[in-house]
Amino acid sequence: MGGLGSISTPMCISPQFDSELVNPNPRYNFPRKISHPSLAFPKSHSFSLSSPLSPQKNKLTETHFTLKASSSSSSVGTAGYTEEPATKVKFQTSLSLPGCSSSLSLLGTGYREKVFAIIGVKVYAAGLYVNQSILSKLDSWKGRAVVQVQDDLTLFKSIFEVPLEKSLQIVLVRDIDGKTFWDALDEAISPRIKAPTSVDVSALSNFRSIFQGRPLNKGTSIFLTWPDPSKMLVAVSSNGLPTSIDATIKSANVASALFDVFLGDAPVSPSLKTSVASGLAAALK
């Protein structure tokens, strides 16, 4: 597989925002009320992680890196890095994770920013990694322009459905308590599940338990890994790459909904999806 080319990618503020993390008009109504917590910051700063992103303030930045398989080592000393420009967070260009059959390569990076009036507050950076073999399954999209790739939901659905690993690394750039992080995710996931089954409810409960009572400090990484469409692996690490899996979420609906949160038609981080689309377009030339 060829390498990728150049790709895109003392004041108190307490405003009220809509409850959706991603989409102010969700496709489904999940039959329960979800709280609207605020992030806990030092001193007087607080805001809702789940409020919608202001499109006027969503300025995308470009990142340049090469999609290349790594060696068996994914240690900091031997792997290359790509810096997400808006947050200055560095992502390894390739890594190995628990539960993955091979190393994964970085396909794109982005960030999540909340805008209050004219003040932008960045919450986290994110990078999408894929098993390079996925690209060989996407021949139908060869030669497409970046905008065509980005707007093609069928392409991203196909990537999700390939039974090969995809992993999203979220790196917090602010301190957040675990409950707040989960509540924001739950508000985004739940409307995407039209008729939750007992399996879905159990999976969401398992997912929630990872974050309850757990402080998530600046620099903490949360890895969401999809080995296949039926499940998702969750690992949280405050010091480098994880060495074990915190939970396995065995629900195709939950796994699909969360993938859609980041790479669907109303992504929480438009800059991430743009960067991933640029990476895909370059790789599929």
Side-chain angles (χ1 to χ4, degrees), residues 11-272:
M11 174 171 62
C12 178
I13 306 170
S14 300
Q16 296 296 321
F17 296 93
D18 295 337
S19 62
E20 284 303 316
L21 176 65
V22 180
N23 189 351
N25 298 300
R27 295 189 292 273
Y28 311 119
N29 291 318
F30 194 71
R32 59 191 176 87
K33 184 177 180 181
I34 304 171
S35 61
H36 299 256
S38 294
L39 289 177
F41 290 98
K43 300 183 180 179
S44 60
H45 296 277
S46 65
F47 61 88
S48 171
L49 180 63
S50 58
S51 56
L53 183 67
S54 169
Q56 291 82 4
K57 298 296 181 180
N58 175 32
K59 296 181 179 180
L60 306 184
T61 55
E62 294 188 353
T63 302
H64 302 271
F65 58 86
T66 300
L67 181 64
K68 182 174 66 175
S70 69
S71 64
S72 59
S73 172
S74 62
S75 66
V76 171
T78 60
Y81 289 91
T82 290
E83 183 179 272
E84 195 290 304
T87 60
K88 307 302 181 184
V89 171
K90 291 181 172 62
F91 290 89
Q92 293 186 203
T93 55
S94 59
L95 48 73
S96 295
L97 294 171
C100 293
S101 60
S102 66
S103 62
L104 307 182
S105 298
L106 184 63
L107 187 58
T109 65
Y111 64 95
R112 172 62 168 149
E113 182 179 60
K114 300 307 302 175
V115 178
F116 307 127
I118 60 173
I119 301 173
V121 180
K122 293 176 178 62
V123 183
Y124 57 76
L128 181 70
Y129 292 84
V130 298
N131 183 318
Q132 278 203 125
S133 296
I134 289 176
L135 301 178
S136 66
K137 311 294 183 181
L138 305 177
D139 287 348
S140 297
W141 288 273
K142 282 188 173 182
R144 301 283 182 91
V146 174
V147 67
Q148 293 175 307
V149 171
Q150 184 171 345
D151 293 340
D152 193 335
L153 295 181
T154 303
L155 169 57
F156 288 94
K157 181 179 179 181
S158 296
I159 292 172
F160 174 74
E161 291 178 346
V162 173
L164 292 168
E165 300 92 345
K166 288 79 59 178
S167 186
L168 184 75
Q169 180 183 7
I170 296 171
V171 182
L172 299 176
V173 296
R174 293 186 177 275
D175 293 344
I176 305 173
D177 66 277
K179 182 180 183 301
T180 296
F181 185 82
W182 163 253
D183 286 343
L185 275 182
D186 194 25
E187 288 183 12
I189 297 169
S190 296
R192 287 170 163 75
I193 303 176
K194 185 175 182 179
T197 66
S198 59
V199 171
D200 300 331
V201 173
S202 177
L204 287 169
S205 178
N206 187 22
F207 199 1
R208 179 175 59 247
S209 68
I210 301 169
F211 301 103
Q212 297 303 301
R214 183 175 196 166
L216 301 174
N217 298 324
K218 178 180 177 180
T220 296
S221 287
I222 301 165
F223 290 86
L224 307 175
T225 303
W226 297 268
D228 62 63
S230 69
K231 62 185 177 182
M232 181 178 67
L233 311 179
V234 184
V236 182
S237 175
S238 59
N239 185 23
L241 295 178
T243 57
S244 61
I245 296 167
D246 286 272
T248 299
I249 310 304
K250 297 180 179 180
S251 164
N253 287 335
V254 173
S256 175
L258 195 55
F259 192 83
D260 186 72
V261 165
F262 292 95
L263 294 165
D265 59 352
V268 64
S269 173
S271 59
L272 173 65

